[in-house]
Each structure stands twice: as C-alpha cells, then as structure tokens.
Amino acid sequence: MCESHDRGNCTEHTDGHGGEHLVGRRALLVTGTATALTLGTVTFASADESQPTGDETKVVRGTLPTGSPDFVYLPVEVPDGVREIHVSYTYEKLPVPAGTAGNALDIGIFDERGTELGGRGFRGWSGGARTEFFLRSDDATPGYIPGRIRRGTWNIALGPYTVAPQGLPYVVTITLKYGEQAPAPKPTYPPERAKGRGRAWYRGDCHIHSWYSDGKRTLAEIAAAARAAGLDFINSSEHNTHSAHAHWAPEAGDDLLIMLGEEITTRNGHIVALGMDGGSWVDWRYRARDNRFGHYAREVRRAGGLVVPAHPHATCIGCNWKFGFGDADAVEVWNGPFTPDDEVSLQSWDNTLQTNPRSWTPAMGNSDAHSPADRIGTPQTVVLADDLTREAIQEGIRAGRSYVAESAAVSLDFSVAGGRGKHAGIGGRLDVDRDDPVTVRLAAKGVPGCTLRFVTDQGTLFTSAVVPESGTLTAEWRTTASYASYVRAEVRHPAQLPPLPGPLAAFTNPIFLGR
C-alpha cells in the first residue's frame, strides 16, 4: 500500500500478479498555457523481450488532492505487438458537507503522438459517462477513435472535475492484449446536401447527444426522433470527441441533413461547433484565463464550422460562459425546455444587440437532448436558407435569418415595411429615415393561449390579446426608426409567476430599423 503521509503525492502500481511498487508523483507538464500533472510511467513488456502473447494487466492506485490541475496524465509505455488497449477505472465518491462538491473524475486517452494542446494524439474521451473503454485498429468504445495501436508512450487522461475535501482516491486498470491487428476501416461521412425545397424555411436541432458521449440514444434512434419532430437537419455534438462522425452516414437521407460537430466542453463554458468537416476535432483543455479560446474558435472555422456558445447561463459546474462573445457566430440562448436560466440568456443576449448593430450575434435554440425523455426538436431553430445544404444552413444561421420555436407545430411570419415598398425580414435591416413610418407585422400559428410581443431596444412595447383556440393570430404595430432601433418578436405562454413573463413558445432574431 502507499506509505506516503500525503496520499496525493503517491501512486501505487500493481502488475496484476500480486507484486506492487510505488511511483512518486513528480512532474508538472505545461501543455500550451494549461498546467497539467503527469504521474509516473506504467511500463509493460520490454521491446527487447520475445514477442509477448495473451494479456498483460497493470493496476494504478492513488489519490488526487483538492486543488488538482484540470488534467492529470498517466503515461503508459505500449510495446510492439499490441492489438487492443483496455482501460477501466473506479474512484471513491466520498461523503461531503452540504453545499460542497463531491468527487467526479473524467477519463480519456491520447496516443504516442502526445498530449500537446491541439495536437494529433487525441484518441478518445468519455468524460464520466463510462467506467471502461477499449481501442483496436478496427473498433473502439463509443467516444473513442479506432486505429492502429502503435508503440510509444500513450497517456490516459484523468479529469478531476470536482474533488472532495478528503481528496479523490482512484484505481485505474490497464490491460494490453497482444496479437495481430486487423485492418483499420476507412471512415465515411454523411453527405453535405439533402433534398431541399430551394429557398425555404428549414427546421433543425444542432445540440444532441448520443451514446458516443453521455447520451442514451443510438444514432438511429436520434435520426428517427428528428424525423418524427419534423426536422430537416441536425448536428452531431458529442462532448469533446468526434467519434460519432464516421457512423452517421447510414442515418442520413434525402429528408434529413446530418451535419457533424462537437460540444467543446471547457471548464468555463461549452461551445457547439456546428457543421465541421468530417473527422475534425477541437481541443477543450483550457480556461478563459489561458487566453486560448480565440485560437480554437478559429480552429472550428478552419474546419468549416460555426462557433456557438451553448447555454451561457446554465447553472451546472463549468457550464457558465466566461469567454465573451467576440468570437461567436451565434449563441444558444434557449436550451431544452424553457427555464429561468434561458430567460436570463435571452435578456443578456438582447442587451448586446445595440452594442454593435453591424456585427451583432444571432440567437438560436436547441434541445441538448441526452435521453429518450428529452424531446429532440424542443426547441428548434427555423432557418431561411437557399437550400438544404450544410453551407446554406450555416449561412442562414450566421446571418440571423432564423427564429426559434418550441416545436414544428409553431410557425412565424415576421416582417417590417416602410414607404415606397420597402420591407425587411428576420435578420435584415429596413433602410428608412428616422421618422418614416414603419409597420411591424407578425403572423403566428400553432400557439393557442399565448400572447404576441414586440421587443425593441427600449423593451417590450406591444403585447397582443390572447391567441384564440385556433392557435392563429396576426398582430401589427406601427413605429419609427427613431423610436425603435430594432424590433424582434416573442410568443409567450401565460405567465406562471406574474409579473415575470411566461415561458417562450417562440422568438425571432431582430430586424434593425434605420440607415
């Protein structure tokens, strides 16, 4: 057993056959701007010995102290002749005082190419969703990337998400299985085009999780649910891994565009990378203090994707957005069933619209569905795009030509008109003089019992009567560019805690008024 008085400074290695030895925790490894801890190296069969056969197992025990770095690396020397790496781990969830975070430990792996920030060594991540994983040349646990098992120093990545005051005791078991490796499959990705309707409104949900990260659905189940929800497109967004990308192609079709992305889950907020090239992966191992987000936002764009901060005011640990919105292409202000943190996100986003009207950040909404109990398409972003293609959908989102609805039953037609036949739609600008009359019009369907609202830079300046049981209502309001520099529409359910407004049924991006 570990004899150190400070268990946080000691790791115990066991060879699986009763022998054990101690390796002190020595090195601090700087990866980019993030500091990480490197434990003692685990060594298996020597390359100088005859070709090993069968399996070989090592067990590593230790305790991480409170205040551990975000990432702790356990180096593993992998010899020639390995056909599979299998890793399992456990850790103690110790009792903690009320209001104190308990132990939570994530896990992943990097291959012999190293753990450098943004490097090529990434081979998989399951966070805290799994207690074991394997990698082979022809297959891997969901969340992990199949490929050749090459000789060299691999690193098991431990992520102490939260650590109890007593520390975080853990056990990692590593098994190497020897033998010939099977051929590695060539990945195929879904097409970037589906059968669209030309320039039209297309419905999508761009934040969904499957069993390739911490979701409970298969890809086939997600695709079926998306079709049932009336969606035209979805985006793959697994936590910190692209492992699902090569498995989506069978689920695509003329009726469903499947884009590929990632939810980049940092300790200071989450980013939906929307519509990247197949096989693209973007690192997440940094905080706002490291001043690295701008670099990785550019990495998302270089891979063909959009940068979308997710649930910026969520209350979960590490979810609250700390990076600012200067590098965002859009922001997810409605995440899943509408809750108070979504209201805060909506109002915070609205407060930014007047800061720089020429480069404002559009809003969108997604389900963030994880389990069958989570309804895919609640909410959904409805985008005016030239066709049902990755490029056209991204361009519509980036331009703000979109609104967010709680389901496919809800549809909006929102526009403004001025004199001489001038008009503008969602995400546009009406080019009128300051005192020219402007007519604002919203037609809503599928929203019985709701009210329609027009929101400007001054706040809510118009609220309609209650929508009748037919679910359809058209509202008009007149203003000028001097009175309202922009106007956007909301559809609200009845208030549950007056005077606070009721939950959203839908909302639009703004239309700006004036030259």
Side-chain angles (χ1 to χ4, degrees):
M1 297 297 294
C2 184
E3 298 295 334
S4 169
H5 294 292
D6 178 4
R7 288 184 58 84
N9 288 325
C10 189
T11 299
E12 174 188 318
H13 287 197
T14 305
D15 63 9
H17 300 286
E20 57 188 43
H21 62 282
L22 302 180
V23 179
R25 195 182 67 188
R26 302 297 185 209
L28 278 177
L29 173 67
V30 177
T31 56
T33 54
T35 302
L37 185 70
T38 300
L39 303 174
T41 301
V42 180
T43 303
F44 283 83
S46 169
D48 297 330
E49 297 176 359
S50 60
Q51 183 68 42
T53 59
D55 301 347
E56 189 177 5
T57 296
K58 301 281 187 177
V59 178
V60 179
R61 294 179 172 87
T63 300
L64 299 175
T66 301
S68 291
D70 289 345
F71 300 99
V72 176
Y73 296 105
L74 175 59
V76 179
E77 287 295 334
V78 176
D80 285 322
V82 175
R83 65 174 179 85
E84 181 178 314
I85 297 175
H86 183 277
V87 177
S88 64
Y89 82 119
T90 61
Y91 62 93
E92 294 186 38
K93 296 182 179 180
L94 302 171
V96 295
T100 301
N103 285 330
L105 184 63
D106 295 341
I107 196 166
I109 194 168
F110 290 76
D111 66 21
E112 84 290 347
R113 290 171 290 186
T115 61
E116 179 184 4
L117 196 62
R120 300 174 59 196
F122 176 75
R123 290 294 293 269
W125 184 256
S126 50
R130 287 182 169 81
T131 59
E132 60 182 316
F133 62 87
F134 76 90
L135 298 98
R136 295 198 309 263
S137 59
D138 61 335
D139 198 8
T141 298
Y144 294 80
I145 314 302
R148 298 289 295 177
I149 307 298
R150 294 178 292 266
R151 175 180 178 174
T153 303
W154 291 53
N155 279 272
I156 297 169
L158 301 175
Y161 198 69
T162 53
V163 180
Q166 310 95 306
L168 195 163
Y170 65 89
V171 179
V172 179
T173 302
I174 310 147
T175 298
L176 302 186
K177 299 182 180 182
Y178 296 95
E180 293 293 326
Q181 299 192 55
K186 182 179 180 180
T188 58
Y189 304 114
E192 297 184 7
R193 174 184 295 273
K195 187 177 181 180
R197 306 180 297 277
R199 187 172 177 84
W201 292 93
Y202 296 99
R203 296 175 178 268
D205 188 346
C206 295
H207 188 171
I208 304 172
H209 296 279
S210 78
W211 67 349
Y212 282 87
S213 59
D214 61 344
K216 304 302 182 185
R217 289 183 174 102
T218 66
L219 303 189
E221 289 169 338
I222 288 175
R227 289 180 167 98
L231 301 183
D232 301 295
F233 65 92
I234 58 175
N235 178 70
S236 177
S237 56
E238 310 297 355
H239 291 284
N240 301 334
T241 181
H242 59 292
S243 67
H245 287 191
H247 302 275
W248 271 112
E251 313 309 330
D254 286 346
D255 62 334
L256 185 64
L257 173 69
I258 298 177
M259 297 188 288
L260 304 176
E262 177 187 341
E263 184 174 7
I264 304 164
T265 308
T266 81
R267 297 295 180 89
N268 287 157
H270 301 184
I271 309 103
V272 172
L274 196 165
M276 294 195 296
D277 298 332
S280 299
W281 169 77
V282 177
D283 213 324
W284 75 97
R285 294 171 294 160
Y286 43 85
R287 296 195 188 197
R289 67 193 181 201
D290 300 321
N291 196 29
R292 301 295 291 168
F293 174 64
H295 170 81
Y296 288 102
R298 291 188 292 274
E299 286 291 304
V300 172
R301 294 193 187 95
R302 274 193 284 270
L306 301 184
V307 177
V308 184
H311 46 65
H313 290 275
T315 57
C316 47
I317 294 173
C319 294
N320 205 265
W321 185 252
K322 304 292 187 182
F323 294 98
F325 296 98
D327 289 296
D329 295 303
V331 57
E332 182 190 81
V333 304
W334 184 354
N335 175 277
F338 196 78
T339 54
D341 62 275
D342 295 310
E343 186 69 53
V344 174
S345 295
L346 179 71
Q347 299 305 327
S348 297
W349 165 75
D350 182 89
N351 290 342
T352 69
L353 294 178
Q354 198 56 50
T355 304
N356 189 352
R358 294 185 181 277
S359 60
W360 59 284
T361 304
M364 66 183 306
N366 302 298
S367 71
D368 198 2
H370 283 72
S371 75
D374 302 329
R375 292 182 58 186
I376 289 173
T378 301
Q380 53 194 250
T381 300
V382 190
V383 184
L384 179 60
D386 289 335
D387 209 344
L388 188 51
T389 68
R390 166 189 167 191
E391 182 179 6
I393 293 296
Q394 288 177 318
E395 197 278 328
I397 292 172
R398 189 187 298 110
R401 295 196 305 267
S402 61
Y403 64 90
V404 180
E406 65 183 359
S407 74
V410 177
S411 62
L412 304 181
D413 185 356
F414 180 54
S415 63
V416 300
R420 300 179 181 178
K422 294 181 178 179
H423 66 276
I426 301 171
R429 174 177 289 277
L430 184 68
D431 185 8
V432 293
D433 291 331
R434 287 174 52 83
D435 296 321
D436 288 350
V438 174
T439 299
V440 181
R441 182 180 184 276
L442 172 65
K445 297 180 179 179
V447 289
C450 294
T451 55
L452 315 186
R453 296 155 53 105
F454 295 138
V455 182
T456 76
D457 55 310
Q458 295 189 76
T460 302
L461 296 182
F462 172 87
T463 301
S464 76
V466 174
V467 179
E469 289 185 6
S470 67
T472 301
L473 185 68
T474 297
E476 287 192 356
W477 176 63
R478 287 175 174 80
T479 187
T480 64
S482 63
Y483 190 60
S485 64
Y486 67 85
V487 60
R488 60 181 184 82
E490 293 181 354
V491 181
R492 296 269 186 171
H493 290 285
Q496 298 173 344
L497 294 171
L500 297 176
L504 281 175
F507 78 95
T508 74
N509 275 300
I511 305 172
F512 290 89
L513 308 179
R515 301 190 186 281

